[in-house]
Amino acid sequence: MENFNKNKFDALTGMRAIAAIMVFVYHNRKYWRHDLPFVVMRFISEWHIGVTIFFVLSGFLLAYRYEESPLDSKKSYLKYILLRIARIFPLYWILLSFYFLDTPYSKNVDTYFLQYSLFYSLFDKYSISGIVQAWSLTVEFFFYIFSPFLFFLLNKNWKYCVSFLFGLFLLSWALGSGLHWYNGNPEGFLYPFKFMIGSTFFGRSLEFFFGMLLAYMMKQEKGLQVLKSLKKATLLGGISMIILTIAIAFFAKNSFVHGVERWEGRLIHEILLPVSIAIFFWGLMSEQTWVSKILSTRIFVLLGNASFVFYLIHLSYFNMKLKSYIYLPDHNFILLWICSIIIYFLVEKPLYKWCRDLIAKIR
């Protein structure tokens, strides 16, 4: 696999920036609803798929890097989990602490434990509180917990992996519905079904699975042969992503709802779209195209590295606070990226390095 290691997946890092930009546009689409044609607005209203791109990429990168090695021993798994905690929690905790300290913004939020633990996004009642977009970090972290075992199952047989994920899906559905039957489930723990399937790992696990499957195929001779048989994978995957996004949008009645709210749109989103994203990723790694060259440029790699910060600050507290001081015509798009790059270099990167060095000392 020396071909793919050479550039350290630079194009995939650049793709993180594209995914973050898609989510930004999606969250700000209301500002253009009177200026853009309905068809265009419907298409943009499905750009929440930027999160799906992140999930597929996470599935691929963790499976490619770790496989089931964290299962080698309790210590290996502990260090793996601590590294994953260090990856997402410190910056989130810093931003959340500023939010809670700024009482004019947080005065109605008192679910401190749920917010700091990220468990808040398992409850429909609290899912739009605090740093709203951090719900996806909960989804990510549940994947981190299960991923070594999932790759172990995938190495045995992909059907075992899918069966396990389907079992988790049924269990979470049963828990939410059972609590609703028992006491009404007033806080909406894994309930209603629409919330569970769209905002939790148990409903969105296939997005990670297809990323893992790509990593598995790249490491197996037969799988690699199948991938190499795909001609113009970048073009095939890219066009498929666009067509499938349009197909999802087709099931939305208007610009204020999503195509994934219909079961047809949800099936496309959870099964077909991740496949097209995985094919596109394969193309970025295996082909020299103008797309891979652009995404591998220093500016896109930089933006990709800062994309986690951008994702956490482009909405909710940081963005609202920034708007109270300065609000530019581009809805602070460029300013938010500048802030993201600064925070990445001064806070996120050194903090993660410090945590990583600390974890490495565990014997």
Side-chain angles (χ1 to χ4, degrees), residues 230-328:
L230 296 173
K231 305 300 180 184
K232 297 184 177 180
T234 308
L235 182 64
L236 174 64
I239 290 178
S240 298
M241 287 166 62
I242 294 171
I243 292 173
L244 291 172
T245 305
I246 293 172
I248 294 170
F250 175 79
F251 293 105
K253 294 179 181 178
N254 56 58
S255 298
F256 301 98
V257 297
H258 302 98
V260 290
E261 293 180 28
R262 286 265 299 269
W263 67 267
E264 302 95 333
R266 177 56 67 181
L267 285 178
I268 294 171
H269 183 271
E270 296 303 322
I271 298 175
L272 299 180
L273 182 63
V275 173
S276 67
I277 293 171
I279 292 172
F280 183 69
F281 286 171
W282 165 250
L284 291 180
M285 290 182 286
S286 62
E287 299 172 343
Q288 285 293 320
T289 64
W290 63 269
V291 178
S292 63
K293 288 177 182 177
I294 290 174
L295 291 177
S296 299
T297 56
R298 293 178 65 180
I299 181 63
F300 269 97
V301 170
L302 173 60
L303 295 179
N305 285 326
S307 62
F308 178 59
V309 182
F310 183 83
Y311 180 76
L312 281 182
I313 70 171
H314 85 281
L315 190 68
S316 301
Y317 175 67
F318 188 98
N319 188 30
M320 291 188 294
K321 197 70 176 177
L322 187 63
K323 284 180 179 179
S324 68
Y325 293 108
I326 181 172
Y327 190 38
L328 301 174

Side-chain angles (χ1 to χ4, degrees), residues 67-247:
E67 302 185 27
E68 70 267 33
S69 59
L71 299 178
D72 291 344
S73 67
K74 291 180 181 178
K75 189 176 293 183
S76 296
Y77 188 77
L78 174 64
K79 292 176 78 170
Y80 161 79
I81 287 295
L82 289 176
L83 279 170
R84 295 300 93 205
I85 290 173
R87 179 67 187 90
I88 63 174
F89 275 94
L91 182 64
Y92 168 69
W93 283 335
I94 290 170
L95 292 172
L96 187 63
S97 295
F98 276 112
Y99 167 74
F100 277 124
L101 289 170
D102 198 341
T103 51
Y105 284 90
S106 60
K107 58 186 176 183
N108 295 321
V109 181
D110 56 3
T111 52
Y112 299 105
F113 172 75
L114 289 178
Q115 295 290 337
Y116 277 101
S117 65
L118 281 176
F119 288 161
Y120 82 97
S121 60
L122 294 177
F123 299 84
D124 184 40
K125 180 179 179 180
Y126 308 121
S127 61
I128 55 172
S129 62
I131 299 177
V132 178
Q133 66 272 34
W135 69 268
S136 66
L137 302 189
T138 310
V139 180
E140 282 269 353
F141 193 66
F142 270 91
F143 170 64
Y144 293 164
I145 293 171
F146 289 115
S147 61
F149 180 63
L150 291 175
F151 203 80
F152 170 78
L153 293 177
L154 184 58
N155 268 320
K156 298 294 182 183
N157 191 309
W158 68 267
K159 294 177 183 177
Y160 296 158
C161 189
V162 172
S163 297
F164 179 75
L165 292 174
F166 187 61
L168 285 178
F169 171 78
L170 292 178
L171 178 61
S172 63
W173 187 5
L175 278 172
S177 299
L179 282 172
H180 180 69
W181 172 81
Y182 177 69
N183 63 2
N185 199 353
E187 295 181 328
F189 178 69
L190 299 176
Y191 190 87
F193 181 75
K194 174 184 170 183
F195 164 74
M196 187 276 289
I197 199 172
S199 302
T200 72
F201 170 75
F202 312 106
R204 303 192 63 159
S205 59
L206 285 181
E207 297 168 42
F208 296 95
F209 168 76
F210 285 110
M212 295 178 68
L213 185 61
L214 174 60
Y216 171 78
M217 293 177 70
M218 286 173 61
K219 288 175 175 283
Q220 304 295 320
E221 187 176 344
K222 289 184 179 179
L224 193 56
Q225 287 176 356
V226 172
L227 291 173
K228 287 182 176 179
S229 69
L230 296 173
K231 305 300 180 184
K232 297 184 177 180
T234 308
L235 182 64
L236 174 64
I239 290 178
S240 298
M241 287 166 62
I242 294 171
I243 292 173
L244 291 172
T245 305
I246 293 172

